[in-house]
Amino acid sequence: MKSLMFISLFTLVTWCGSYPQTRAICEERLGSVPEEWMYEPDARPSKLAALNVSLAEREDAHEDHPKLALTISWAISIDQSNDHLVGTWIRVVGYENSFRCQYQPPFNEIDTTGYEQLWFNLTGVEAEPEKTYYVIGYNIPTPMIGDDPGSKVTQFRTPGCSNKTMMHHDSCVRKGCIWDPNVTSIHSKNQVEVSFTSSKYSTEYIIRLCRSKSEMECTGGEYISKVTTFTEGESRWLTTLNSTGPCDLLHIELVPTFPGWHPHCARTRTAKVSCTPTGKYHIIMS
Ligand SMILES: *[C@@H]1O[C@H](CO)[C@@H](O)[C@H](O)[C@H]1NC(C)=O
Ligand SMILES: *[C@@H]1O[C@H](CO)[C@@H](O)[C@H](O)[C@H]1NC(C)=O
Ligand SMILES: *[C@@H]1O[C@H](CO)[C@@H](O)[C@H](O)[C@H]1NC(C)=O
Ligand SMILES: *[C@@H]1O[C@H](CO)[C@@H](O)[C@H](O)[C@H]1NC(C)=O
Ligand SMILES: *[C@@H]1O[C@H](CO)[C@@H](O)[C@H](O)[C@H]1NC(C)=O
């Protein structure tokens, strides 16, 4: 046990200190197989050691790069056959292009002593919510037809819009997933003044005033008044509701109307009405 721990610690240290300096440079190519597919190789590299897929939020996102991408990572075994390794082919089923990844500098020009495998990754494929991706990877040149194709296949299911990372996907944003209305309200006399920030994807909001013992919702409480507000763009809006009785248990419910309703994202937001000193004074006096 002790020696095992020592080995893994040692690997960690060398990994951080002097990871062999080679990079996988990946280019998108039309078609599903590399041109080497056609030819019979004299010698070929060993199989991919591993192929994994995860979800990543990219910081360098712009129009050509998806904001939310699949991180496809793979491992190359370090062995003699790497002299014949031309590159690695990655294909995502349903994505029209494939990726041809080449190592710079190539494996025979770097010092890999002490390593069993090296990891690489690419983040060029947009991740849509709630979708299953099949990723196929193999080293080039490929084996002859009839031999073990040497490919690895991995299946990855992306989470839905309620996932903290995924909610930044455009289609989730349009359903209100990252909308924060920042509801504030002030009680005065027989009125409650409500302000909130609208989302540009919802132009109609129902605002209800209720009296409820629960901090979180009006359900089970008594509804006092209601207004419908039409908005435009992302802006701060002010509206007034009629109120009765003391302020203490008053809550505001803000119901948005996002298209493509999503149970988590388009949910009703509830906020406690702030009972200002003026409000309290009014209650005591009445
Ligand atoms: C990567 O995939 C391999 C199988 O290909 C699996 O054994 C390993 O646990 C995976 N690693 C991570 C970090 O997901
Ligand atoms: C992908 O590779 C980069 C650079 O080699 C590395 O910094 C990053 O941690 C890798 N990401 C994953 C998910 O393996
Ligand atoms: C979001 O999804 C990713 C990828 O499936 C997962 O690793 C992560 O744990 C999820 N986060 C939450 C908060 O569920
Ligand atoms: C919420 O609105 C209040 C009042 O307009 C403002 O002071 C506060 O900074 C806002 N908070 C956020 C998180 O936007
Ligand atoms: C609030 O009360 C006033 C006076 O009782 C009434 O005229 C008005 O229509 C009410 N407003 C709403 C939004 O119910």
Side-chain angles (χ1 to χ4, degrees):
M1 193 61 201
K2 261 183 187 161
S3 68
L4 225 155
M5 276 172 68
F6 174 75
I7 291 166
S8 58
L9 211 81
F10 180 75
T11 321
L12 198 76
V13 171
T14 48
W15 202 86
C16 297
S18 60
Y19 197 69
Q21 292 295 304
T22 186
R23 294 196 303 148
I25 311 290
C26 300
E27 282 179 358
E28 290 202 32
R29 293 288 172 88
L30 259 173
S32 58
V33 293
E35 49 268 29
E36 286 87 350
W37 192 265
M38 311 275 291
Y39 309 104
E40 187 175 312
D42 295 331
R44 56 190 176 83
S46 53
K47 292 204 245 186
L48 278 188
L51 178 68
N52 297 46
V53 183
S54 60
L55 181 66
E57 199 172 353
R58 295 167 55 127
E59 272 149 31
D60 63 337
H62 54 81
E63 273 174 33
D64 300 337
H65 289 301
K67 191 165 158 52
L68 274 161
L70 299 178
T71 297
I72 301 169
S73 45
W74 66 94
I76 300 289
S77 303
I78 300 301
D79 57 47
Q80 288 296 316
S81 76
N82 287 337
D83 289 347
H84 312 294
L85 179 65
V86 170
T88 300
W89 192 261
I90 303 285
R91 189 162 86 82
V92 178
V93 176
Y95 189 74
E96 63 172 347
N97 293 344
S98 299
F99 294 88
R100 185 188 177 92
C101 301
Q102 276 166 293
Y103 302 96
Q104 281 178 18
F107 274 75
N108 56 12
E109 289 175 22
I110 56 166
D111 181 14
T112 52
T113 38
Y115 289 92
E116 266 180 39
Q117 50 185 224
L118 294 186
W119 282 88
F120 301 90
N121 66 62
L122 77 89
T123 51
V125 178
E126 179 172 4
E128 304 273 351
E130 286 182 87
K131 196 172 160 184
T132 303
Y133 291 88
Y134 295 92
V135 180
I136 302 162
Y138 48 83
N139 286 332
I140 324 172
T142 50
M144 283 169 58
I145 291 163
D147 282 356
D148 176 356
S151 56
K152 286 250 180 221
V153 183
T154 293
Q155 178 184 331
F156 180 70
R157 174 92 182 153
T158 51
C161 286
S162 30
N163 180 280
K164 277 213 165 66
T165 307
M166 188 50 93
M167 60 174 64
H168 296 277
H169 188 274
D170 275 356
S171 68
C172 299
V173 171
R174 270 183 256 115
K175 288 176 188 153
C177 298
I178 57 168
W179 171 58
D180 174 14
N182 187 14
V183 180
T184 56
S185 54
I186 298 170
H187 182 261
S188 67
K189 287 191 178 159
N190 298 320
Q191 288 185 328
V192 172
E193 210 172 67
V194 179
S195 60
F196 69 97
T197 306
S198 60
S199 159
K200 62 178 166 185
Y201 302 110
S202 169
T203 52
E204 185 182 338
Y205 298 83
I206 297 162
I207 304 153
R208 291 191 293 237
L209 180 68
C210 77
R211 180 168 285 113
S212 163
K213 286 207 171 84
S214 159
E215 278 288 310
M216 303 301 290
E217 53 180 21
C218 287
T219 316
E222 169 205 1
Y223 284 100
I224 296 168
S225 56
K226 171 183 128 170
V227 288
T228 302
T229 300
F230 296 91
T231 64
E232 208 186 299
E234 190 182 323
S235 184
R236 200 88 187 139
W237 300 84
L238 189 77
T239 187
T240 304
L241 285 109
N242 286 343
S243 169
T244 55
C247 173
D248 299 40
L249 302 173
L250 293 181
H251 290 76
I252 294 295
E253 260 191 4
L254 182 60
V255 187
T257 46
F258 287 100
W261 191 84
H262 184 278
H264 173 80
C265 303
R267 70 190 187 280
T268 297
R269 269 52 165 195
T270 308
K272 176 99 180 59
V273 171
S274 127
C275 300
T276 61
T278 332
K280 278 205 176 113
Y281 178 72
H282 176 78
I283 293 156
I284 292 161
M285 294 302 287
S286 61

